[in-house]
Amino acid sequence: MMMLFKTYVRSITEYCCALWSPHLQCDIIMIESIQRSFTAKIAGYKHLSYWERLKQLDLYSLQRRRERYMIILVWKIYYCEIPNSVNITFQHSQRRGVTCLRPLGGSKYKSTNTMRFHSFPSVASALYNVVPHDIKSIPTLPKFKAALDRFLHTVPDTPPTPGYTGANGNSILEWAVSKT
């Protein structure tokens, strides 16, 4: 049943997700409800909350998968596996390793600054900067993904869910701020 979901449903919800990734809670809840509804129909998991089902089925929330994908795309840009057509600027430091400069708004219009702040180059840069530098320095994609997954398993995955109160909005960025 999970194979059907991953093949026919999740592939559609994740198509080009780096470009359209929502930032509003109501949109995240709506998209997350697809996976929440599906996992609730699996025999033996009906009695569990969505957060518990994610752990039992060893799944990431759709929100976490989108953020993971953005981090991988930035890694590919840095290692020149794909072109840097979004003009992400990288810098190096002894303490933090490779980081991205996060483009911020410079417009007098608030709506333009909001769109720029939530755009792929801005969000993906911020997400990439949260990843520990020893993981970012891994030069091969399979090893990078494995190390990234180990890191992501240390970050709680409690997506916004109606009826449940989470510690925050579940973004890796929010969890990084709460750790400091």
Side-chain angles (χ1 to χ4, degrees), residues 19-118:
L19 295 176
W20 61 260
S21 186
H23 65 276
L24 297 175
Q25 288 285 18
C26 60
D27 295 335
I28 292 170
I29 289 170
M30 188 182 333
I31 292 169
E32 206 67 49
S33 71
I34 298 167
Q35 182 166 279
R36 188 178 67 245
S37 172
F38 188 88
T39 58
K41 295 175 183 162
I42 298 173
Y45 294 93
K46 295 178 184 185
H47 66 285
L48 300 174
S49 73
Y50 179 48
W51 298 345
E52 292 168 339
R53 289 193 304 269
L54 290 175
K55 287 179 188 171
Q56 293 288 322
L57 294 167
D58 195 28
L59 293 173
Y60 288 127
S61 66
L62 295 177
Q63 177 186 15
R64 182 63 46 87
R65 286 183 59 83
R66 287 190 302 275
E67 291 181 342
R68 177 184 179 271
Y69 186 62
M70 284 190 225
I71 293 167
I72 292 169
L73 282 175
V74 174
W75 182 93
K76 287 180 175 182
I77 290 170
Y78 178 72
Y79 284 97
C80 300
E81 292 196 11
I82 60 174
N84 188 0
S85 57
V86 291
N87 298 320
I88 292 177
T89 306
F90 296 94
Q91 62 184 11
H92 303 269
S93 75
Q94 283 292 98
R95 188 173 65 86
R96 297 185 67 213
V98 177
T99 58
C100 301
L101 294 177
R102 188 172 188 184
L104 300 174
S107 174
K108 63 181 181 177
Y109 301 107
K110 186 177 178 181
S111 61
T112 302
N113 289 335
T114 300
M115 286 189 294
R116 190 173 290 141
F117 185 78
H118 293 290

